[in-house]
Amino acid sequence: MKRALITGIRGQDGAYLSRLLLEKGYEVYGADRRSGDSSFWRLAELGIERDVKVRYMDLLELTNVMREVEKIGPDEVYNLAAQSFVQASFEQPIITADIDAVGVLRLLEALRTLKADTRFYQASTSEMFGKVQSIPQSEKTPFYPRSPYGVAKLYGHWITVNYRESYGMFTCSGILFNHESPLRGLEFVTRKITRGLAQIKLGLLDKIVLGNMDSKRDWGYAPEYVEAMWMMLQQKSPDDYVIATGETHTVREFVEFSMKHAGFDLAWEGEGAGEKGIDRKTGRTLVEISAEFFRPAEVDILVGNPEKAAETFGWRPKTRFEELARIMVEADIKRIERSRS
Ligand code: NAP
Ligand code: GDD
């Protein structure tokens, strides 16, 4: 039985990856930085709360990381832990760097010292492309990060490459574009929209307040993306791969498709900060814009080219944009209905 250690076990990807590895017969260890809070709602939603062996491990504490790596002796490590919210990284750039950059190094140092034959996956990100230097972005596109998060993740990416080249370790960097699901954190725009819409529909919220509606993202479905993580670590040799759908859409389009699935007939009125989303049937304002949610520097467009992953191990996205919005809206409506019944 293979043993996997997943950091960031409480997160969206940690939950889906745990389920996948359990289905494949792995013994799954989940690293969790919190003590005393025993609610693992994502693992519980997937029905695997009791199947993951949770260990107390914070990427900020080297000795803690080393002790856990030594005790577990993993065959594979998936480093998903991060301060992953781009907007927060502008307010907390130092802690973001400590977790998302040096945290990767701590884990790699622990593995180099204690178990250098471990296969290692680093959760890199399309945010590293930032002010994009070409469209679409592939493994060959130069990086130009636009946030402290992107800069920190770029260090994590290069140190992963460096440990492969310096010490012959099996380290892979997955450059994943945005991936969403009903388990997405509420701070991210897709889930903020779908949860907000469900609340509006059921009379629990007046309107959703958003920031930049013109930025474009390549949005995929998270359960498919964790499969790519696993596939990378099963190859003969380690490498880096872009994982994306190859389609890009604005935040505005995500609002429009989600509204449609929630049964609203949306019309836009006004411009810039004064723009509003109005329900045609009732005349009610459902969407407003606030400067609070704009970023000091924005990533205007992301669209990835996942050809290398397709050619090397046959990974291809299945769920498309409109379907993703539908899955998320329906899940949020069901959740609220369940909690009220
Ligand atoms: P997420 O839901 O925010 O989960 C990240 C997890 O990391 C959280 O559970 C968090 O713990 C944990 N964590 C934070 N600081 C830690 C520390 N010091 N020590 C140990 N654990 C810590 O993120 P996700 O969406 O699942 O994404 C997984 C990874 O992929 C992240 O590294 C993210 O940056 C990267 N990524 C995500 C996407 C995407 O679109 N989802 C795209 C590209 C890359 P708490 O629960 O205690 O806060
Ligand atoms: N969060 C948020 N909240 N974003 C908003 C809002 C809002 O109210 N209004 C507009 N946006 C815009 C942001 O300015 C950004 O352009 C876009 O919506 C997406 O924002 P997020 O959902 O926060 O995601 P992200 O693209 O910044 O970062 C996510 O994807 C990265 C991969 O590209 C995160 O998952 C990162 O961890 C990940 O690396």
Side-chain angles (χ1 to χ4, degrees):
M1 189 189 254
K2 273 198 199 169
R3 231 174 240 199
L5 168 63
I6 303 173
T7 72
I9 196 67
R10 279 181 197 266
Q12 168 189 260
D13 291 5
Y16 286 121
L17 181 63
S18 296
R19 181 175 68 181
L20 179 77
L21 297 184
L22 287 165
E23 282 166 4
K24 290 188 181 298
Y26 278 67
E27 190 176 4
V28 178
Y29 289 82
D32 177 36
R33 65 166 162 171
R34 300 190 215 171
S35 60
D37 174 356
S38 61
S39 73
F40 291 88
W41 71 269
R42 291 185 172 100
L43 298 181
E45 277 218 8
L46 299 183
I48 53 171
E49 202 182 1
R50 290 170 203 284
D51 304 327
V52 174
K53 299 173 190 348
V54 176
R55 296 290 180 268
Y56 183 39
M57 182 177 132
D58 195 319
L59 283 191
L60 295 175
E61 183 76 52
L62 177 64
T63 50
N64 174 204
V65 174
M66 292 189 83
R67 277 193 299 275
E68 289 308 323
V69 164
E70 191 164 31
K71 275 190 262 173
I72 297 165
D75 300 296
E76 295 173 8
V77 169
Y78 296 85
N79 184 33
L80 310 185
Q83 191 302 93
S84 74
F85 187 28
V86 173
Q87 186 152 2
S89 78
F90 288 100
E91 293 306 318
Q92 301 185 331
I94 298 167
I95 191 82
T96 301
D98 211 350
I99 300 169
D100 298 8
V102 187
V104 186
L105 179 59
R106 289 190 190 95
L107 193 43
L108 284 169
E109 270 298 88
L111 293 173
R112 176 163 80 106
T113 310
L114 298 164
K115 201 169 179 303
D117 64 347
T118 306
R119 295 190 169 206
F120 178 83
Y121 173 86
Q122 168 56 17
S124 291
T125 164
S126 48
E127 186 72 16
M128 301 186 307
F129 294 119
K131 190 170 177 181
V132 298
Q133 302 296 294
S134 68
I135 292 179
Q137 297 86 53
S138 73
E139 296 79 4
K140 294 198 172 84
T141 305
F143 299 115
Y144 193 140
R146 292 271 281 172
S147 62
Y149 167 80
V151 174
K153 281 284 187 176
L154 192 50
Y155 178 92
H157 168 75
W158 281 120
I159 202 69
T160 300
V161 173
N162 182 257
Y163 270 51
R164 179 165 78 220
E165 294 177 353
S166 303
Y167 309 117
M169 288 169 66
F170 196 110
T171 63
C172 297
S173 173
I175 307 173
L176 272 53
F177 283 61
N178 297 51
H179 44 281
E180 320 291 312
S181 74
L183 299 187
R184 188 60 146 146
L186 287 168
E187 64 273 39
F188 302 101
V189 75
T190 53
R191 186 78 205 294
K192 180 173 169 182
I193 293 166
T194 60
R195 164 90 172 168
L197 273 180
Q199 288 176 313
I200 292 174
K201 196 172 165 67
L202 299 167
L204 301 170
L205 187 75
D206 285 342
K207 58 185 172 241
I208 305 169
V209 184
L210 297 170
N212 182 2
M213 303 249 284
D214 297 317
S215 60
K216 293 177 144 184
R217 291 291 181 274
D218 179 328
W219 276 296
Y221 186 39
E224 295 166 14
Y225 283 50
V226 301
E227 286 180 20
M229 297 175 185
W230 175 77
M231 286 169 155
M232 277 177 220
L233 293 200
Q234 313 313 310
Q235 300 311 300
K236 274 211 180 83
S237 47
D239 208 341
D240 309 320
Y241 297 92
V242 158
I243 300 297
T245 68
E247 266 184 47
T248 191
H249 294 275
T250 58
V251 172
R252 187 188 310 280
E253 284 173 273
F254 192 86
V255 174
E256 288 165 358
F257 280 115
S258 303
M259 286 278 179
K260 195 176 101 187
H261 290 304
F264 293 108
D265 184 10
L266 190 76
W268 297 107
E269 280 182 8
E271 271 179 32
E275 187 171 5
K276 283 185 170 47
I278 314 276
D279 182 14
R280 280 200 185 91
K281 283 181 223 149
T282 59
R284 200 177 137 192
T285 298
L286 301 180
V287 183
E288 269 182 13
I289 307 300
S290 164
E292 189 190 335
F293 300 109
F294 281 76
R295 295 168 184 185
E298 180 62 279
V299 171
D300 296 324
I301 175 166
L302 290 173
V303 53
N305 173 0
E307 257 329 288
K308 182 177 167 184
E311 277 168 22
T312 315
F313 47 81
W315 184 89
R316 282 182 183 81
K318 296 184 197 91
T319 307
R320 294 294 169 181
F321 181 71
E322 185 166 0
E323 173 70 355
L324 176 66
R326 187 191 61 74
I327 292 171
M328 293 179 68
V329 167
E330 285 181 2
D332 270 320
I333 291 174
K334 266 196 204 123
R335 260 195 203 116
I336 298 182
E337 282 174 345
R338 254 200 323 266
S339 72
R340 299 205 312 180
S341 63

